[in-house]
């Protein structure tokens, strides 16, 4: 990991040289050591995300970007949980010292409190959910609607808004929310996404009607 961090620090993520060097290092030294149920290292996720976003967003890679950002957000949430746990343990052992247990110093406590601050965590989650994930959903759907890949839209809608396709059972159940960018959504978040999905579905239906009427008008005009 130290070598990877040096590589990412010393070279630009969008250069061909960087992509080759980093890709080779990841394939040879990192992937073989990652368990199938683990997230890749944060540095790897950030590097790949930057490669998709900079210098210009690669629209065709939005689904991959969503999964990568989903994993980054999962790591952030774990960091918040661990920061809270560390602070709780520090408080316990401050009042009940135990041999061999080192208490946090002032700098460490300040850093962990900053990570664990509830208001900040909630704001980060809101930005992730509404300003990033839902915005990328809308952007990708719009791009598909105006592209030759329109035929994939139905599959994308099922991936983004899985509860819309549930005919029976609990639409908020984990079994339906399996994408890396939505698997960790709470029930309330899934209900919010469902509402956006319904609005998107209604918009697409209206857009389809408009498109059909435009085609009929042109056909009649050109007779």
């Amino acid at each position: 990991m130290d070598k990877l961090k040096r590589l990412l620090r010393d070279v630009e993520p969008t250069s061909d040289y960087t992509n080759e060097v980093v890709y080779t290092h990841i394939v040879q030294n990192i992937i073989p050591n990652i368990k199938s149920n683990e997230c890749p290292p944060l540095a790897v996720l950030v590097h790949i995300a930057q490669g998709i976003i900079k210098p210009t967003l690669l629209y065709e890679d939005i689904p991959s970007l969503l999964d990568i950002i989903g994993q980054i957000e999962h790591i952030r949430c774990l960091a918040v949980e661990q920061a809270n746990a560390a602070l709780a343990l520090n408080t316990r052992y401050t009042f009940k010292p135990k041999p061999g247990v080192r208490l946090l110093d002032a700098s460490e406590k300040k850093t962990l409190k900053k990570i664990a601050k509830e208001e900040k965590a909630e704001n980060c989650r809101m930005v992730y959910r509404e300003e990033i994930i839902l915005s990328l959903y809308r952007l990708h759907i719009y791009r598909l609607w105006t592209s030759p890949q329109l035929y994939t839209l139905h599959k994308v809608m099922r991936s983004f808004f899985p509860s819309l396709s549930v005919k029976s059972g609990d639409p908020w159940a984990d079994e339906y929310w399996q994408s890396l960018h939505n698997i960790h959504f709470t029930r309330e978040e899934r209900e919010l996404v469902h509402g956006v999905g319904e609005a998107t579905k209604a918009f697409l239906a209206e857009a389809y009607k408009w498109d059909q009427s435009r085609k009929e008008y042109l056909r009649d005009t050109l007779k």
Side-chain angles (χ1 to χ4, degrees):
M1 280 301 298
D2 289 338
K3 181 178 179 182
L4 176 62
K5 290 179 180 178
R6 288 197 301 273
L7 287 171
L8 298 181
R9 183 184 65 242
D10 296 339
V11 288
E12 290 297 325
T14 53
S15 71
D16 292 337
Y17 170 74
T18 302
N19 290 334
E20 181 179 353
V21 171
V22 174
Y23 176 80
T24 300
H25 179 73
I26 291 172
V27 170
Q28 294 180 353
N29 302 293
I30 295 180
I31 291 180
N33 299 313
I34 299 176
K35 296 179 180 179
S36 59
N37 61 344
E38 292 181 344
C39 287
L42 181 59
V44 173
L45 294 171
V46 172
H47 174 73
I48 297 174
Q50 288 179 331
I52 295 174
I53 297 172
K54 298 179 180 179
T56 303
L57 176 62
L58 302 177
Y59 293 101
E60 66 274 13
D61 288 333
I62 286 178
S64 296
L65 180 61
L66 284 164
D67 285 342
I68 292 166
I69 293 175
Q71 293 178 83
I72 293 174
E73 170 65 6
H74 180 54
I75 292 172
R76 186 196 67 80
C77 290
L78 289 177
V80 172
E81 291 178 7
Q82 291 173 358
N84 278 310
L87 289 169
L89 287 172
N90 189 72
T91 299
R92 177 194 301 176
Y93 290 120
T94 296
F95 293 101
K96 295 181 179 181
K98 184 176 180 180
V101 175
R102 183 183 72 83
L103 297 177
L104 299 172
D105 61 31
S107 176
E108 291 170 333
K109 284 194 292 185
K110 182 178 180 180
T111 298
L112 290 178
K113 286 180 179 179
K114 185 176 181 181
I115 294 173
K117 189 176 180 181
E118 185 175 356
E119 182 180 357
K120 180 179 180 181
E122 290 177 353
N123 288 340
C124 287
R125 187 65 177 183
M126 182 182 67
V127 170
Y128 164 75
R129 180 183 63 239
E130 299 179 21
E131 301 298 329
I132 298 178
I133 297 299
L134 290 179
S135 292
L136 286 174
Y137 280 5
R138 296 184 181 98
L139 177 59
H140 189 54
I141 289 170
Y142 170 76
R143 294 284 299 186
L144 288 179
W145 173 251
T146 57
S147 77
Q149 285 74 45
L150 177 61
Y151 67 92
T152 66
L153 189 54
H154 185 63
K155 180 180 179 181
V156 169
M157 287 289 291
R158 289 201 307 271
S159 173
F160 289 178
F161 311 109
S163 52
L164 294 180
S165 304
V166 178
K167 303 302 181 183
S168 61
D170 183 5
W172 322 121
D174 291 344
E175 62 182 297
Y176 301 114
W177 299 76
Q178 289 295 310
S179 297
L180 291 173
H181 50 82
N182 63 31
I183 191 171
H184 297 295
F185 279 165
T186 64
R187 179 189 175 95
E188 290 75 16
E189 288 173 328
R190 292 175 183 183
E191 290 176 351
L192 172 65
V193 172
H194 179 82
V196 173
E198 287 185 322
T200 303
K201 185 177 180 180
F203 166 78
L204 291 173
E206 290 299 316
Y208 176 77
K209 291 179 182 178
W210 172 84
D211 191 47
Q212 290 300 109
S213 65
R214 182 177 63 87
K215 290 178 180 178
E216 291 176 4
Y217 171 78
L218 291 174
R219 184 175 60 249
D220 295 340
T221 302
L222 298 175
K223 283 183 178 178

